[in-house]
Amino acid sequence: MISKTMEAALNNQISLEAYASQYYLAMASWCDREGMEGAAEFLHFQSLEEREHMMKIFHYLSEVDAFAITPAMPQPPLEFDSVQEVFRLVYEHEKKVTQSINDLVGICYKENDYNTLNFLQWYVEEQREEENLARGILDKIKLIGEGGQSLYYIDKEMKKVLASVQAAEAAAEGGEGA
Ligand code: FEO
């Protein structure tokens, strides 16, 4: 059992994670159209991750006998100025999600809701990783520069980033099962 305030706040988080999933999907489509295959693959992967983040909260709400609301979504942007702009927006969105998770943790303490606090620990860690990842990608893009051949190197780099994220995830899943 959780409070109505917590139920509403978690539903708000569902909405934020769902929007991130749609947002990154729109970015993937734009990158694909621009011939940035590696960036598109990375963003498709990230979009699916965000859906998983949303679903975890969905199931948690059911588990604690609260109501998970399927959110209505605004249309995400379909056009972007550049690949650097795409990852700047990813980083900005991740910072917003982190702030929202921190606010949720604050509500847990205010309401002595230690079950939800425990549930949110995974998100606290995940946000640290995701923010760090987005910032790292953005720094790399800035370093490589944009235009002509740079786009080729950025895209190659994105494939490497995706491979290392997937390998880390597979290792973590293997560890969980051990
Ligand atoms: Fe689920 Fe990237 O925030």
Side-chain angles (χ1 to χ4, degrees):
M1 188 70 198
I2 59 170
S3 74
K4 285 288 164 199
T5 307
M6 184 57 85
E7 183 181 38
L10 286 170
N11 272 308
N12 181 57
Q13 191 65 29
I14 283 180
S15 189
L16 210 53
E17 303 286 354
Y19 185 73
S21 180
Q22 296 294 87
Y23 199 19
Y24 299 166
L25 188 61
M27 290 172 178
S29 184
W30 182 84
C31 287
D32 212 11
R33 203 186 61 195
E34 296 295 309
M36 308 254 336
E37 198 188 302
E41 267 177 46
F42 174 83
L43 288 158
H44 272 297
F45 174 81
Q46 211 52 45
S47 171
L48 282 175
E49 291 265 298
E50 298 301 349
R51 183 174 161 80
E52 279 175 25
H53 299 174
M54 175 190 85
M55 291 310 297
K56 264 182 198 278
I57 306 172
F58 225 84
H59 293 308
Y60 176 74
L61 282 171
S62 301
E63 204 185 323
V64 293
D65 199 21
F67 185 48
I69 297 170
T70 306
M73 285 288 99
Q75 172 71 56
L78 302 176
E79 300 290 341
F80 302 91
D81 292 340
S82 64
V83 71
Q84 183 168 316
E85 174 70 356
V86 165
F87 283 96
R88 189 186 65 75
L89 292 170
V90 169
Y91 181 42
E92 289 306 318
H93 195 74
E94 289 304 325
K95 284 198 286 186
K96 191 171 159 185
V97 174
T98 301
Q99 185 54 55
S100 178
I101 294 291
N102 289 342
D103 292 347
L104 278 169
V105 168
I107 299 173
C108 290
Y109 281 115
K110 221 192 236 161
E111 301 203 340
N112 293 335
D113 183 345
Y114 299 112
N115 254 332
T116 307
L117 181 67
N118 195 34
F119 167 72
L120 288 172
Q121 291 315 302
W122 182 87
Y123 285 84
V124 171
E125 199 176 328
E126 184 72 7
Q127 274 319 114
R128 181 176 47 75
E129 285 172 13
E130 292 215 328
E131 230 187 273
N132 188 38
L133 180 65
R135 192 178 50 244
I137 292 170
L138 190 57
D139 285 347
K140 233 171 227 167
I141 292 175
K142 284 183 188 163
L143 213 65
I144 297 173
E146 280 196 276
Q149 278 201 337
S150 305
L151 290 178
Y152 171 78
Y153 289 111
I154 290 171
D155 207 45
K156 247 178 114 170
E157 203 54 48
M158 291 311 304
K159 284 187 187 178
K160 274 196 242 166
V161 171
L162 176 59
S164 75
V165 170
Q166 285 174 327
E169 224 166 74
E173 273 163 24
E176 271 170 28

